[in-house]
Amino acid sequence: MKRYDGIKNIMEYVTNEIVVANIGFPSRELYDIKDRNRNFYMLGSMGLVSSIGLGLALSQKEKVVVLDGDGSTLMNLGSLVTISNQNPNNIILIVIDNGVYGSTGNQPTYSQSTDLLKIAKSVGFKNSYDFNKINFKDILTKNQDNSTFIHYKTSPGNANIGIIDLDPESIKKRFMNSI
Ligand SMILES: Cc1ncc(C[n+]2csc(CCOP(=O)(O)OP(=O)(O)O)c2C)c(N)n1
């Protein structure tokens, strides 16, 4: 199963939650699967989607689902430490781990030998799960006591889809107006 189907499985249960997606194909695939005002397509900063998600989670009450990549998570591992220590109970950080920098040509990342779920547990995430071993709908819809980290292993590969047909300013404006 590739990232596209992983995002589909996640979005099947998303209703009113905020969704923040990583740069490149994760954002493009989310746009193709379920575009909504409450999606923030992060177009620029690899590694920072979890930090943006944390800021949103801390500044308002709604649930924030973050779709990150393994390469980007590895680029900003410090963010995991910050999130687990701030511990807002309304963030669900999902790392879609395809083992490669998929958006730039499938170069392998160190997630092939470094276990991101173990890292999340070891920096203090009390709720840290393998997507395939949980009922995601339950995690998403029930109130949690702590921040949630979900590791979602997929195969490499990008969907054959178009680009996001919105300019960055519109993405930001409609997102801000929706929350
Ligand atoms: C600081 C920085 N370095 C490099 C890039 C170029 N870049 C954009 S997406 C990407 C790959 C992201 O890989 P990953 O986080 O594993 O997600 P995937 O595309 O595999 O879903 C790279 C290298 C960038 N945008 N920012």
Side-chain angles (χ1 to χ4, degrees):
M1 193 204 61
K2 296 181 184 165
R3 185 203 308 100
Y4 187 87
D5 290 318
I7 296 176
K8 241 181 167 174
N9 290 339
I10 294 163
M11 293 310 290
E12 190 181 338
Y13 301 111
V14 165
T15 52
N16 205 33
E17 295 82 3
I18 288 167
V19 179
V20 191
N22 192 29
I23 179 173
F25 271 94
S27 278
R28 286 170 61 176
E29 292 178 355
L30 173 63
Y31 181 72
D32 187 75
I33 291 163
K34 200 181 207 176
D35 182 39
R36 40 203 283 286
N37 292 347
R38 291 189 155 220
N39 291 351
F40 183 67
Y41 305 111
M42 206 279 295
L43 299 185
S45 317
M46 192 185 165
L48 288 181
V49 75
S50 59
S51 306
I52 292 169
L54 173 62
L56 285 162
L58 290 173
S59 59
Q60 49 82 59
K61 289 200 168 67
E62 294 179 54
K63 282 205 178 177
V64 180
V65 176
V66 178
L67 306 179
D68 210 348
D70 48 296
S72 300
T73 302
L74 287 164
M75 186 177 272
N76 185 17
L77 276 179
S79 182
L80 299 186
V81 179
T82 311
I83 296 170
S84 74
N85 280 280
Q86 289 288 326
N87 202 25
N89 63 359
N90 56 339
I91 190 168
I92 301 179
L93 169 56
I94 307 176
V95 176
I96 302 180
D97 181 359
N98 55 10
V100 294
Y101 297 100
S103 296
T104 49
N106 294 339
Q107 305 86 355
T109 73
Y110 292 130
S111 83
Q112 299 194 11
S113 46
T114 295
D115 187 331
L116 289 168
L117 184 54
K118 275 192 189 159
I119 289 179
K121 284 184 201 293
S122 71
V123 300
F125 274 90
K126 294 190 186 72
N127 303 350
S128 42
Y129 310 109
D130 174 341
F131 188 94
N132 292 312
K133 295 188 181 152
I134 53 168
N135 182 331
F136 176 65
K137 189 179 175 191
D138 274 1
I139 305 271
L140 182 70
T141 52
K142 290 183 183 158
N143 283 337
Q144 304 297 321
D145 292 332
N146 300 285
S147 296
T148 300
F149 178 96
I150 299 177
H151 184 237
Y152 199 173
K153 189 73 199 150
T154 69
S155 311
N158 305 317
N160 186 15
I161 50 169
I163 57 164
I164 296 174
D165 199 15
L166 298 167
D167 61 75
E169 209 173 323
S170 318
I171 293 172
K172 187 185 85 169
K173 273 191 188 149
R174 70 176 202 160
F175 176 73
M176 286 176 75
N177 289 337
S178 78
I179 64 173

